[in-house]
Amino acid sequence: MYCSHCGEAIADDANFCAACGTPVRREADTNATMSIDLHGETDGEDVLEDLPTMEQGTGLFVVMRGPLSGSRFMLEKDVTTIGRHPDADLLLDDVTVSRHHAEVRRGDNGLVLADLGSLNGTYVGDHRVEEHPLVMGDQVQVGRFKLLFVSADEASS
């Protein structure tokens, strides 16, 4: 099988092209429930509309760009794991994301994003970070994904 985007040979068990990251489409795949657009991007106008009720000290990520664009992920646990590993709380299944890429930890002063030694790094804005206290509006880059952080503390005010 070959990638429909770049023409590179693809392993039989691969979900993404190793060369360009394009999702593999199989004719016999009857379990597919959605089409993923790797270059998709939300316009951001409706991000703060219809927010779920969040407890103080929590927040959520909204996927602004990349696969799953428009999806929302609640950050309610003391530690929320981010990565390509199937057990990750926020599963970002793309070759540009490490298996154990980053995590968000709840601390006394709010939520803190921490890179876990990922190959491609974790960015807030244009800056690569090892640890970063999250604040409303932070744009977090994990591989091809751009995530907007929405704080429960600031969204309710």
Side-chain angles (χ1 to χ4, degrees), residues 3-19:
C3 177
S4 62
H5 181 73
C6 72
E8 188 73 25
I10 298 175
D12 290 338
D13 62 343
N15 292 324
F16 294 90
C17 173

Side-chain angles (χ1 to χ4, degrees), residues 37-88:
D37 178 8
L38 282 177
H39 305 292
E41 189 164 346
T42 64
D43 58 14
E45 290 180 16
D46 61 347
V47 170
L48 297 179
E49 293 178 13
D50 301 321
L51 287 175
T53 302
M54 297 183 282
E55 294 183 27
Q56 299 295 55
T58 65
L60 63 83
F61 278 133
V62 178
V63 180
M64 300 297 289
R65 185 178 68 216
L68 309 175
S69 182
S71 299
R72 297 174 179 191
F73 296 93
M74 295 294 293
L75 304 170
E76 300 174 304
K77 300 169 89 179
D78 288 336
V79 176
T80 301
T81 58
I82 303 169
R84 192 168 34 97
H85 192 278
D87 293 337

Side-chain angles (χ1 to χ4, degrees), residues 115-137:
D115 184 84
L116 299 177
S118 66
L119 181 63
N120 291 327
T122 302
Y123 293 80
V124 176
D126 295 330
H127 304 285
R128 189 171 182 159
V129 297
E130 297 301 317
E131 280 197 6
H132 176 82
L134 290 167
V135 296
M136 179 76 158

Side-chain angles (χ1 to χ4, degrees), residues 131-150:
E131 280 197 6
H132 176 82
L134 290 167
V135 296
M136 179 76 158
D138 274 346
Q139 293 188 17
V140 176
Q141 184 84 29
V142 177
R144 294 180 187 215
F145 295 84
K146 182 187 261 183
L147 312 169
L148 176 68
F149 175 69
V150 179

